[in-house]
Amino acid sequence: MIGRRPAVMTALALACGLSTGAWAQAWPSKPVTLMVSYPPGGGADLIARLIAPKLGEALGQTVIIENRPGGSGQIAAGAVARAPADGYTLLFDASSYAVTPTLFPNSPYKQGKAFKTVAVTALFPNAVLVNAQFPAKTAAELVAAARVKTDQVAFASSGNGSAQHIAGVLFEQAAKVEMMHVPYKGGGPALTDVIGGQVPVFFGNVASTLQYVKQGKLRPLAVSGRQRSAALPEVPTGAEAGLPGFEMYEWNGLFAPAGTPAPVVERLSRAVQQALAAPDVKARIVELGGEPFPGGVAESGKFVEAELKRMSTLIKERHITVE
């Protein structure tokens, strides 16, 4: 009896493997829900709705968008973390995914343990923007103004720990200056006050601020990508503007509950890559000032892990809190 045990266990393992494989091949047999952590009309929602139809075509099932905003993404993430790990309920999040674990240490979920990274979809650089009436015409002039009196040049953001706040902190580090941070309850009010001249500086992603640049209400001084943005080709990168290390992207990613079978995650990732390769999807992302992420599960996972570590270090070093 004991001698037969390894053979029996091997047979059971093979049977389980075949069962998992067969199940994965049958998946999906019903609609898939992308739970978006931000409200309709925002950047994450825009990209989710852009890729959903193509994702549905690749999977052979309808892909449903469900917005669950609130709690800096924690409401949607908490719901997905508690959902069955069967590939039918997924989280579509933004770059705040890398910030939340450190800003909210008592959060009911931990991204590193609660989820598997399926795919990073697109990267959007931030732009250093000033009100059209502000005297600085270049990043160097903005830095010079900030050095005249510490904390006398202010920048607005949608709140402590937001992408705009983090971008501002990275700019300060690269430029070796200190500016006054003015947090608002949302990006809309912050941007309104920058356009109106109440606060001179804003670090917004190219996609959400491009229309105001084109209207002449905001002046871009630099972008935070490795290369110039196709939407703002005349604007230098941080490195070109004398700001080494000023590199940051707002990004969107797709995540599955941690126990989701690897074959399902792989199939989802391939479907996302297929959606991003569609000419109309790719063109729209580029038009918004971004770039499709070039990689699958492994590359996306490495990118997200690096962002989690980078943001954790920055938040702790600069003592950033949500209060």
Side-chain angles (χ1 to χ4, degrees):
M1 188 76 175
I2 294 175
R4 292 180 55 199
R5 193 173 177 184
V8 171
M9 292 179 69
T10 300
L12 285 170
L14 286 170
C16 288
L18 287 171
S19 176
T20 301
W23 182 84
Q25 287 179 1
W27 181 92
S29 59
K30 61 181 182 180
V32 174
T33 297
L34 299 191
M35 199 169 289
V36 181
S37 53
Y38 291 90
D45 179 72
L46 187 155
I47 299 302
R49 294 181 187 278
L50 179 65
I51 68 169
K54 304 292 185 182
L55 196 58
E57 290 175 14
L59 295 174
Q61 284 289 344
T62 301
V63 173
I64 300 168
I65 302 295
E66 182 179 335
N67 297 89
R68 286 277 191 97
S72 297
Q74 293 183 85
I75 292 177
V80 176
R82 294 188 297 269
D86 55 11
Y88 290 104
T89 304
L90 307 167
L91 175 67
F92 196 85
D93 209 344
S95 44
S96 58
Y97 180 98
V99 173
T100 303
T102 307
L103 279 182
F104 301 93
N106 296 319
S107 175
Y109 72 97
K110 290 292 182 183
Q111 285 97 327
K113 297 179 180 178
F115 301 104
K116 284 183 179 179
T117 300
V118 175
V120 174
T121 58
L123 306 176
F124 294 92
N126 283 76
V128 183
L129 301 153
V130 295
N131 172 274
Q133 305 308 313
F134 191 70
K137 300 293 193 296
T138 66
E141 290 179 1
L142 173 60
V143 171
R147 284 179 179 160
V148 171
K149 284 188 178 181
T150 301
D151 285 345
Q152 290 305 298
V153 175
F155 71 95
S157 84
S158 60
N160 289 337
S162 65
Q164 299 95 24
H165 183 198
I166 297 296
V169 170
L170 286 171
F171 179 89
E172 289 177 320
Q173 280 190 339
K176 296 180 174 58
V177 297
E178 293 288 335
M179 298 190 294
M180 183 182 295
H181 174 224
V182 184
Y184 286 74
K185 292 183 178 179
L191 192 53
T192 296
D193 272 10
V194 173
I195 291 171
Q198 284 81 6
V199 184
V201 185
F202 190 68
F203 297 89
N205 72 57
V206 174
S208 62
T209 58
L210 185 61
Q211 60 177 315
Y212 303 109
V213 172
K214 289 182 176 179
Q215 292 168 7
K217 296 178 179 178
L218 294 174
R219 181 188 306 122
L221 306 183
V223 293
S224 64
R226 289 191 191 92
Q227 57 190 23
R228 294 193 180 198
S229 169
L232 297 170
E234 73 288 353
V235 179
T237 65
E240 290 173 334
L243 300 166
F246 180 57
E247 185 178 324
M248 176 184 173
Y249 295 93
E250 290 190 36
W251 49 271
N252 301 111
L254 185 64
F255 303 90
T260 306
V264 172
V265 172
E266 286 285 352
R267 187 170 177 200
L268 275 166
S269 178
R270 290 195 300 271
V272 170
Q273 291 176 71
Q274 185 174 327
L276 293 174
D280 55 335
V281 171
K282 187 174 182 178
R284 180 59 175 153
I285 290 173
V286 171
E287 181 185 352
L288 290 169
E291 57 187 82
F293 184 80
V297 171
E299 294 82 4
S300 296
K302 288 178 182 177
F303 175 87
V304 170
E305 186 61 31
E307 285 292 287
L308 283 162
K309 291 179 180 177
R310 181 188 185 204
M311 292 299 109
S312 177
T313 299
L314 182 70
I315 289 166
K316 290 174 181 176
E317 286 180 350
R318 295 300 294 259
H319 307 290
I320 296 172
T321 67
V322 292
E323 297 178 357

